[in-house]
Amino acid sequence: MKIVIGLFLRASVVLTGIALATFALLWNAPGDPALAIALARYDAIVTPDLVNEIREQAGFNAGFWPAFQAWFGPILMGDFGNSSVNGRPVLPDLMSSVSYTFPLGIAALAIGMALSLPLAILSTKRPGGWLDRFAIAVASIGNAIPAYWLGLLLILLFAVQLAWLPAMGARTPSHAILPALTLGLGVAASLTRIIRSGILEARGQSFLPALSRRGVPQNSISKDHIALHAAIPVVTVFGLELAFLLEGLVMVEVIFARPGLGSFLVEAIGARDFPKVQAAVLLTALIFVVVNLLIDLFYKVLDPRIGDHDA
Amino acid sequence: MRSVLVLVVCFVLLAVLGPLFAPYDPSAINIPKRLQPPGGEWLLGTDALGRDIFSRLLHGARWSLGLAFVVSVIGLVVGTSVGLIAAIGGKFADWITMRTTDSFLAFPELVAAIVIAGFLGAGTGSLIFALSVTGWMRYARVARGIGLSLKTRDYVIQAKLAGLSNVSIARWHYLPSLIPSLTVVWTGMFARAILGISSLGFLGFGVQPPLSEWGAMLLDARIHMRSTPLQMIWPGLAVLISVLAINLTGDALRDSLAKDNAK
Amino acid sequence: MLKLENVSVKRGKSIALKDVSFKVDAGKTIAVVGESGAGKSTLIASILNLASLASGKISWNDKPVRKISPALVSQEPRAAFNPVMTLKQSVLEPIVGQKKTLLPDRLNRLCKGLELPIDLLDRKPSGVSIGQAQRVGIMRALITSSPLILFDEPLSALDAVTQKHTARLISDLQKEEGFAAIIVTHDLGYAAAFADDIIVLKTGCVEEYSSAEEFIQSPKTQYGQDLRNAAFALGALERAS
């Protein structure tokens, strides 16, 4: 219980730190944010008075700490403020964007698992065999291929040349196939390597020969022991994979013009829409921190030998 | 170790000398000859403004590989220093630096780089800053881990008794033992930096036109996907091959280190 | 004169050293014996200022010990040298930044005294024998002319012949250089043959503190008695006397 509270405390400190860092970045960014907002809202008819008015409204005159408090306080209550460009509340837009991103992320993970698990298991049947080499080669290329380029290649092949699938937007579920495939292939590439070395490492564990000698049937050895030992790196990888997923989602959503969290963030940055950027950053951080927290807890349950995960 | 060196030399040569072999000025606009197919006068064809794609790729190496090199080396220096401070500086320094490192790791690095580069405004400086600020943590963790294991070595204690300053001890007794592992980390981070620079370029937050960074070239090429799809292949292929070469070298180095350790 | 007064050291929550007091005069040798875990390493660390004291005081002629920068001869001869540096670089480490004019002379004399060829110093630790490495370790301790040198199990890594030889060398050099020596060892024979005083540590406390002759003839405590008898049974003390 003490551990759980400690982890939560650490997570909230980290989240506050990220909120502060983002705010400081926006605060110190070159260019006048009020002017940017004015331009975004009223196009060419911007007067100095108008800019001043916006500056006052947004609390830019008050100084760093009051401005930070004025923004961060309401967020703790669940109020992310209004877009500084179109004046609409941020939260509903943010939630709607997540509703596009979340299923895409899950689908990508599922595709990644479905491809990598059989490939990794088959490749470790005979380490060094042709299948193993094939798996390593595919995984190496998959790890090196930029996600945005892979996405464009898939569009080129399936949407432009073959015209089998739609590429841009998110109107129908079939619009999600190419983006999910793009991300899923990337996930599969790194998962294959990690699951493969996880299995090989678990097999090399010194207690396995002892179990064989003791007459434990081969089948149950692989099921219980190897599976458990492969599970720890897989969970670790899930943490790493999450970073890859979130990064990939940004690029893939932009390429496929999907109105998800990534597009939300990139558009908000382009428009210098402070409240939206901050909301997207905080949500990303929240997802990241919470998932890693769960992974830490999982470790403590799964393997008591791993004491403090950060040691 | 030697293979990494060879790779670095190749990349440096490519970035420095590559442009000399460019048959055309990479930013020379030639509208009548726009969107030419590969082959013939233009080895890889021309882009929407009639610029020679092959020349642009060669010049782009300077940005895509050169900047990635700079970024990864900045990360190496910063991260190693942080890690060594954590390992040598005592409990408090360790706590502070490692909590900082954890906080920086508590956000997907590339997303952070996008936010930072996007807000600092386009430009090479902010690009380097954005990717360096988000690219030092892995070095710090590795350096700290090895550093802590060296702390109780007899020769480190002897150096301490000899009255050497912490900086000298770090330089002479810690750094040499860190180099192999840090080189492995560095190859991974170099590859990441190449991907990062081209990703930011592709989003329009990175190196700005008319400079022919590979990601930015892809952004240009994307619009003409239907008419000249091949245009889109080359910059992506350049990124893929570079990253693949670095990763494979890094893997080989890691395996050979693991073998050495097992001996 | 090195003086420890009621020194206690904590390791985490447990007590590693409790109320340890003794003194060593210049030119004299004290041997610290005891089982592993008795607090010998902690004692060395606290004299070398590598462990903080919970209470008590360690001084050299009423000044803090760090002023005289005591030297240490490590237990593992090769591990005491950075594997990528030459022995010479390691030996000269304690005197970087000092005047180097007297140096070649001093190095030559030490090499002679330790029976080491001078060009041996240009090798790396992996290129010399353990006995040679240990003698280079002693050279490093001597080079600063520190008045206090700690020997942490100086013989344990060596074979029997080299042990005798090295013990004799240390003793001869001490007569010449006049340093005070603290020798941590579990070899009672060695302690009895070369030390002036003997301290027996047990679970962090001084169990017995007597002169070497006293200890061999009649230890004051039962534990000292047991140790001595065990050593006799192994033949270690015969060798010494």
Side-chain angles (χ1 to χ4, degrees):
Chain A
M1 200 55 215
K2 208 173 147 192
I3 300 167
V4 177
I5 294 171
L7 286 176
F8 270 102
L9 264 178
R10 195 189 286 181
S12 36
V13 168
V14 164
L15 282 175
T16 314
I18 286 175
L20 197 58
T22 320
F23 196 81
L25 175 72
L26 304 193
W27 190 261
N28 293 310
D32 183 354
L35 181 64
I37 293 165
L39 283 171
R41 267 192 221 168
Y42 307 103
D43 242 356
I45 43 162
V46 175
T47 63
D49 286 348
L50 192 61
V51 174
N52 276 333
E53 194 185 318
I54 289 170
R55 191 173 292 139
E56 195 60 48
Q57 267 175 10
F60 292 150
N61 283 336
F64 181 77
W65 287 108
F68 176 68
Q69 280 163 16
W71 165 69
F72 197 55
I75 282 180
L76 294 177
M77 307 281 118
D79 176 9
F80 283 86
N82 299 329
S83 158
S84 59
V85 173
N86 60 21
R88 294 221 312 262
V90 169
L91 194 60
D93 284 358
L94 187 67
M95 286 301 130
S96 119
S97 76
V98 174
S99 73
Y100 286 101
T101 298
F102 188 69
L104 183 56
I106 297 292
L109 266 183
I111 293 174
M113 277 285 188
L115 291 177
S116 63
L117 211 53
L119 190 58
I121 291 172
L122 284 176
S123 78
T124 51
K125 290 266 183 215
R126 266 188 49 218
W130 68 267
L131 193 61
D132 192 29
R133 281 190 214 163
F134 171 75
I136 292 173
V138 168
S140 300
I141 293 173
N143 275 328
I145 205 165
Y148 54 89
W149 190 54
L150 180 62
L152 290 175
L153 291 183
L154 290 177
I155 293 177
L156 199 57
L157 180 62
F158 291 106
V160 177
Q161 301 290 336
L162 299 171
W164 286 354
L165 290 164
M168 299 298 169
R171 279 191 320 273
T172 65
S174 65
H175 280 86
I177 295 177
L178 285 182
L181 199 59
T182 306
L183 274 173
L185 287 173
V187 173
S190 57
L191 274 184
T192 303
R193 290 173 69 109
I194 292 153
I195 297 174
R196 177 182 171 275
S197 55
I199 296 173
L200 289 181
E201 216 169 275
R203 272 204 206 140
Q205 290 271 345
S206 52
F207 60 83
L208 290 179
L211 289 180
S212 286
R213 276 200 302 275
R214 241 181 270 155
V216 180
Q218 193 63 40
N219 211 10
S220 89
I221 292 179
S222 55
K223 262 200 211 118
D224 301 342
H225 295 271
I226 296 179
L228 183 69
H229 275 264
I232 294 172
V234 167
V235 171
T236 310
V237 155
F238 187 72
L240 299 172
E241 220 52 43
L242 185 73
F244 174 85
L245 258 184
L246 289 171
E247 292 174 353
L249 275 166
V250 174
M251 303 304 295
V252 164
E253 284 178 354
V254 170
I255 293 162
F256 291 94
R258 261 182 93 79
L261 185 57
S263 302
F264 181 95
L265 178 67
V266 171
E267 274 163 30
I269 293 171
R272 309 226 139 216
D273 194 335
F274 277 25
K276 274 188 154 180
V277 173
Q278 284 161 326
V281 165
L282 270 188
L283 185 66
T284 311
L286 186 73
I287 296 169
F288 202 60
V289 169
V290 167
V291 171
N292 278 314
L293 196 106
L294 293 176
I295 290 172
D296 273 2
L297 284 175
F298 179 77
Y299 274 124
K300 296 199 160 109
V301 176
L302 192 71
D303 192 346
R305 276 178 311 172
I306 303 174
D308 200 355
H309 179 47
D310 71 346
Chain B
M1 216 57 180
R2 194 179 304 146
S3 54
V4 174
L5 210 63
V6 169
L7 185 80
V8 169
V9 169
C10 285
F11 276 15
V12 168
L13 285 180
L14 187 62
V16 175
L17 299 180
L20 298 180
F21 294 99
Y24 295 92
D25 177 350
S27 42
I29 294 169
N30 185 1
I31 300 289
K33 295 289 180 194
R34 68 194 293 265
L35 299 176
Q36 294 290 315
E41 205 177 329
W42 296 273
L43 186 59
L44 301 177
T46 61
D47 71 0
L49 295 175
R51 297 173 294 195
D52 178 43
I53 292 179
F54 182 61
S55 303
R56 289 180 69 71
L57 275 184
L58 285 176
H59 278 267
R62 188 167 285 182
W63 304 108
S64 304
L65 300 181
L67 285 183
F69 183 77
V70 170
V71 162
S72 58
V73 169
I74 293 177
L76 174 70
V77 172
V78 173
T80 308
S81 313
V82 170
L84 283 176
I85 289 171
I88 302 176
K91 270 200 180 120
F92 181 67
D94 190 20
W95 190 85
I96 282 282
T97 47
M98 279 305 114
R99 285 294 88 84
T100 312
T101 309
D102 282 352
S103 307
F104 272 82
L105 279 171
F107 202 81
E109 287 128 287
L110 183 62
V111 182
I114 289 172
V115 175
I116 295 171
F119 261 89
L120 291 184
T124 314
S126 53
L127 181 67
I128 292 177
F129 177 78
L131 287 168
S132 307
V133 147
T134 55
W136 56 271
M137 294 82 77
R138 283 159 217 269
Y139 300 107
R141 290 206 139 185
V142 170
R144 172 183 176 266
I146 300 175
L148 285 180
S149 75
L150 292 175
K151 210 173 180 178
T152 50
R153 292 279 169 90
D154 282 355
Y155 63 82
V156 173
I157 291 172
Q158 287 288 359
K160 222 171 169 178
L161 289 176
L164 259 66
S165 68
N166 277 342
V167 176
S168 304
I169 294 180
R171 164 70 188 84
W172 296 107
H173 295 287
Y174 282 79
L175 216 48
S177 311
L178 288 173
I179 285 171
S181 303
L182 284 179
T183 310
V184 173
V185 179
W186 176 78
T187 55
M189 294 307 289
F190 188 22
R192 275 189 75 97
I194 292 177
L195 287 172
I197 283 170
S198 61
S199 297
L200 286 170
F202 182 75
L203 290 177
F205 296 141
V207 176
Q208 293 298 300
L211 301 178
S212 57
E213 190 274 322
W214 296 341
M217 283 176 74
L218 253 175
L219 181 60
D220 287 344
R222 179 190 173 191
I223 312 162
H224 306 282
M225 185 193 284
R226 279 171 196 279
S227 54
T228 49
L230 274 177
Q231 227 199 102
M232 220 178 59
I233 303 293
W234 311 121
L237 206 57
V239 174
L240 171 65
I241 291 171
S242 316
V243 173
L244 193 61
I246 298 167
N247 281 347
L248 292 179
T249 320
D251 287 352
L253 178 63
R254 195 195 49 212
D255 291 349
S256 79
L257 286 181
K259 254 181 217 152
D260 284 353
N261 285 340
K263 266 181 201 164
Chain C
M1 181 178 66
L2 177 78
K3 206 164 161 189
L4 276 80
E5 295 164 87
N6 303 97
V7 170
S8 297
V9 176
K10 279 183 184 163
R11 274 282 145 90
K13 278 177 187 159
S14 63
I15 291 171
L17 280 184
K18 198 177 169 222
D19 262 345
V20 174
S21 305
F22 64 84
K23 51 191 178 190
V24 197
D25 286 321
K28 297 287 182 193
T29 300
I30 193 164
V32 181
V33 297
E35 301 161 350
S36 31
K40 292 177 293 183
S41 310
T42 311
L43 183 65
I44 290 184
S46 52
I47 295 172
L48 292 175
N49 204 24
L50 296 171
S52 46
L53 307 186
S55 65
K57 198 177 143 199
I58 303 178
S59 60
W60 178 269
N61 294 343
D62 296 325
K63 288 181 300 197
V65 177
R66 67 184 148 78
K67 296 260 183 211
I68 57 157
S69 25
L72 169 74
V73 176
S74 305
Q75 181 171 6
E76 293 293 335
R78 281 216 190 92
F81 294 98
N82 190 329
V84 300
M85 283 164 55
T86 65
L87 292 170
K88 195 172 197 166
Q89 286 174 314
S90 292
V91 167
L92 296 184
E93 212 169 51
I95 49 172
V96 272
Q98 287 178 21
K99 279 191 295 198
K100 302 235 165 101
T101 42
L102 292 171
L103 206 60
D105 197 36
R106 174 97 174 125
L107 267 182
N108 272 327
R109 265 191 35 228
L110 285 173
C111 275
K112 219 169 163 195
L114 286 158
E115 295 163 21
L116 290 166
I118 185 112
D119 57 338
L120 186 102
L121 293 181
D122 293 325
R123 296 191 203 161
K124 300 215 166 134
S126 52
V128 299
S129 74
I130 290 190
Q132 286 168 329
Q134 187 63 306
R135 277 179 278 154
V136 180
I138 295 169
M139 181 189 292
R140 166 165 58 189
L142 289 171
I143 197 135
T144 54
S145 309
S146 169
L148 174 66
I149 299 179
L150 287 81
F151 295 85
D152 184 4
E153 304 273 10
L155 308 182
S156 66
L158 310 178
D159 61 70
V161 180
T162 326
Q163 274 185 352
K164 256 191 191 153
H165 186 65
T166 309
R168 178 60 55 201
L169 269 176
I170 293 175
S171 160
D172 290 349
L173 281 162
Q174 190 180 16
K175 279 184 197 114
E176 208 171 301
E177 305 263 337
F179 55 84
I182 298 177
I183 298 178
V184 170
T185 180
H186 57 261
D187 184 347
L188 259 180
Y190 173 41
F194 290 96
D196 301 291
D197 292 326
I198 291 181
I199 276 193
V200 180
L201 277 183
K202 192 189 174 195
T203 59
C205 300
V206 175
E207 187 74 14
E208 166 133 10
Y209 179 19
S210 20
S211 72
E213 295 109 69
E214 266 182 309
F215 186 81
I216 291 170
Q217 264 132 46
S218 58
K220 292 173 198 158
T221 61
Q222 185 59 44
Y223 186 64
Q225 197 96 42
D226 293 347
L227 267 183
R228 190 191 72 126
N229 294 343
F232 263 122
L234 286 168
L237 279 181
E238 260 92 6
R239 205 178 68 211
S241 49

